[in-house]
Amino acid sequence: MSDQNPYEKLGVSEDASFEEIQDVRNRLMEQYSSDPRRLEVIEAAYDAILMERLRMRQEGKIKVPERIRFPERLVNPPPKENPLPSQQTPAWLQRILDQPTPAEVLLAGAWYLGLSAISLFYQAGSEQVLQLVLVVGVGISIYFINRKEGKFGRAVLFTLSGLVLGLIAGGLIGSWLIPSIQLTYLSANQFATVVTFVLLWLINSFLR
């Protein structure tokens, strides 16, 4: 066996492909797994063939398959990550928006629901009553907003803005809506007060 070349020792032809040589080597290693001397001969022949093939590649005598020259082409490229969607909400708006818990929304809603009921159904000295409940509603709004981050100035600003906007919008809508649907028991001021309470409830629930 010592006179045999490495190809003959493995039992492959000299023009066999690398895959064929590797398959034969693996099969022989498994077949003679209990014969150390035979395994040594097989491994030596395989190494000799590899060295010869490497020398021939360097000399340009054989063409190197692209899958060996460019193994990175066989690797699947990582999936392209979808770019994060650009923020649609401005940063300044994100700083003032809040995500209240249902309990917080219901608690503030209960206060303003009660004040709205007083505004609608308490007739004796109605103007004084409306002014009083508005003062209470303003205080509630300032309290709920201020307790979130302790910014009293911002709480006052948001509340006064909601108060002015609610009274103006409610008065305009009420003066047009009440006569058209003939709600004789409801005044424009009462309607404006209820609209203001709804707006204040939204402000102290969803702003901070």
Side-chain angles (χ1 to χ4, degrees), residues 40 71 83 105 141 163 205:
E40 184 178 350
V105 175
S141 178
L163 176 66
S205 294

Side-chain angles (χ1 to χ4, degrees), residues 1 4-17 20-25 27-28 31-32 38 41-42 45-46 49:
M1 177 175 282
Q4 294 178 319
N5 63 34
Y7 293 97
E8 292 174 343
K9 290 179 181 180
L10 284 184
V12 296
S13 62
E14 294 187 8
D15 59 353
S17 66
E20 292 172 341
I21 296 172
Q22 195 172 36
D23 289 342
V24 171
R25 178 253 185 190
R27 189 180 72 248
L28 292 175
Q31 179 179 351
Y32 296 100
R38 184 68 175 176
V41 172
I42 295 170
Y46 179 75
I49 293 174

Side-chain angles (χ1 to χ4, degrees), residues 69-117:
R69 293 175 59 196
F70 307 106
E72 66 276 3
R73 294 181 180 178
L74 300 178
V75 180
N76 294 328
K80 294 183 178 179
E81 295 183 359
N82 294 327
L84 294 175
S86 57
Q87 293 183 348
Q88 300 295 329
T89 307
W92 64 268
L93 186 57
Q94 291 183 349
R95 287 194 296 268
I96 65 175
L97 288 179
D98 190 23
Q99 295 181 342
T101 63
E104 292 173 335
V105 175
L106 292 176
L107 178 60
W111 275 99
Y112 285 111
L113 182 62
L115 293 176
S116 298

